[in-house]
Amino acid sequence: MRLDRLRCSGIFSGTLRSIRMSSTAAANRRLEGKVAIVTASTEGIGFGIAKQLALDGAKVIVSSRKQDKVINAVAKLEKEQGCTVKGIVCHVGKSEHRKNLIKETLHHFGGIDILVSNAAANPTFGPILETPEDAWDKIFDVNVKSAFLLAKDVIPLMEKRGGGSVVFISSIGGFQPPMQGLGAYNVSKTALLGLTKALSNECAHMGVRVNCVAPGVIKTNLVKQ
């Protein structure tokens, strides 16, 4: 009898743990029904963001310039329980790619509620006064201009859905460069802080929040370069 009680107690407590875990998982899916785009999201910081958004219940579009990376990232995320993801090749510096990213997101998921602008480039390393003009242009085209233009196209769609959220991924280098040799890159990340301030004021009445995240030094491929 005592053994039976212990067995029953074990089963019951295990069931309770399962219920608690299920309830916690359900509670954490606070983004259920939302649609998110994360640029440069097949590895590193972007992949981590895409994964967490999907685990929180959002339908997520991951993107990258390379098809094989998109396929691999989608395959990894689809193994996570409850994750709904699609992958699209997108070079954010190209207008036609940005427009296709939006078009395909609407086609697959019917709207856009969240945009995480994570894509960044840094083709040069060295003193800022030695930055070649073409490198400067690429850094600002990808890191700042494309981020703005993508937000510009997405925000009106968010407003029609009753609101949304735009998040620009800046860097600690936008405040205080942690290392020498990334001058132009750091300036572009500082520019994102200004863009966030300008857009947040203009978009508040649309119900669209605009925020900026500035990570510290993280061992991603960009840092390794």
Side-chain angles (χ1 to χ4, degrees):
M1 179 77 83
R2 186 174 180 183
L3 182 59
D4 288 341
R5 285 201 196 98
L6 288 173
R7 284 175 179 166
C8 289
S9 176
I11 293 170
F12 184 63
S13 62
T15 302
L16 279 179
R17 280 197 298 273
S18 297
I19 292 172
R20 290 193 192 101
M21 289 174 69
S22 298
S23 298
T24 301
N28 287 341
R29 292 183 68 82
R30 55 197 178 87
L31 297 179
E32 198 78 51
K34 301 296 184 181
V35 178
I37 292 175
V38 187
T39 63
S41 50
T42 58
E43 57 189 13
I45 293 173
F47 181 80
I49 293 171
K51 179 179 178 179
Q52 189 60 57
L53 288 171
L55 290 173
D56 284 345
K59 297 175 181 178
V60 180
I61 293 289
V62 298
S63 66
S64 171
R65 293 177 300 159
K66 298 182 179 180
Q67 180 73 53
D68 59 333
K69 289 188 176 183
V70 171
I71 293 172
N72 290 337
V74 170
K76 289 179 182 177
L77 291 173
E78 285 181 336
K79 292 179 181 178
E80 299 288 339
Q81 187 174 2
C83 288
T84 302
V85 298
K86 294 287 184 181
I88 297 171
V89 173
C90 178
H91 185 320
V92 296
K94 298 181 178 181
S95 175
E96 63 272 22
H97 280 221
R98 293 193 304 270
K99 293 186 182 302
N100 185 62
L101 177 64
I102 294 171
K103 177 184 174 183
E104 289 299 310
T105 303
L106 296 176
H107 170 71
H108 288 296
F109 295 142
I112 302 170
D113 303 288
I114 300 165
L115 168 64
V116 181
S117 180
N118 175 62
N122 184 53
T124 187
F125 184 86
I128 190 169
L129 291 177
E130 296 178 13
T131 304
E133 184 176 354
D134 60 342
W136 184 274
D137 288 342
K138 181 175 182 179
I139 289 170
F140 278 84
D141 278 347
V142 174
N143 299 9
V144 184
K145 182 180 177 180
S146 67
F148 164 69
L149 292 176
L150 191 54
K152 180 181 178 182
D153 287 339
V154 165
I155 287 171
L157 300 175
M158 292 179 174
E159 183 181 18
K160 289 180 181 179
R161 282 169 71 86
S165 176
V166 175
V167 180
F168 295 114
I169 305 301
S170 178
S171 166
I172 186 63
F175 293 98
Q176 179 64 46
M179 62 184 73
Q180 298 298 316
L182 297 174
Y185 174 84
N186 291 331
V187 174
S188 74
K189 292 301 185 176
T190 302
L192 286 178
L193 301 175
L195 177 60
T196 300
K197 292 177 181 179
L199 279 178
S200 61
N201 286 331
E202 289 194 14
C203 298
H205 74 281
M206 302 177 186
V208 176
R209 301 184 309 278
V210 182
N211 292 286
C212 193
V213 177
V217 179
I218 298 175
K219 290 183 179 180
T220 64
N221 287 338
L222 183 65
V223 172
K224 292 176 185 177
Q225 294 172 1

